[in-house]
Amino acid sequence: AAQVYNVADKKLMLTKLEVAQRIGNRTDAEVIEINHLEDPDLRDYRVDIERINSLGFSAVQDLDEAIDEVVALARERARLAV
């Protein structure tokens, strides 16, 4: 029988604010937290990753590396568009 796996890595389970702060730290962008608005995205991303971990899975790339890669690509595309 087929099994379902939640593919994630414990060290990458962050809130949206934490991700925004990591992006801000890597790009010198200012992160502004707005607390007076209700977030329409009420999904809970806390998932059980024990099944995938039991197979030895772990993310190869960390978040900061991925941010750097995306920023470099965006900057290169912007440079080529000029």
Side-chain angles (χ1 to χ4, degrees):
Q3 293 194 5
V4 175
Y5 292 86
N6 292 312
V7 179
D9 194 302
K10 189 177 237 177
K11 64 183 175 272
L12 296 175
M13 289 189 181
L14 305 168
T15 66
K16 289 181 275 187
L17 178 58
E18 291 168 328
V19 172
Q21 289 168 335
R22 299 275 285 272
I23 292 168
N25 291 340
R26 313 284 303 173
T27 62
D28 295 325
E30 182 180 2
V31 176
I32 300 170
E33 185 177 3
I34 300 172
N35 292 314
H36 66 277
L37 298 176
E38 185 173 322
D39 187 347
D41 184 357
L42 301 176
R43 294 175 286 179
D44 182 355
Y45 290 100
R46 295 183 190 272
V47 295
D48 183 0
I49 59 172
E50 290 304 314
R51 185 178 293 160
I52 198 79
N53 285 346
S54 71
L55 298 175
F57 174 83
S58 65
V60 174
Q61 189 174 40
D62 72 16
L63 181 59
D64 291 332
E65 291 171 338
I67 292 168
D68 290 344
E69 186 176 316
V70 170
V71 168
L73 180 61
R75 287 180 175 154
E76 178 64 14
R77 287 187 177 210
R79 185 186 67 76
L80 294 174
V82 174

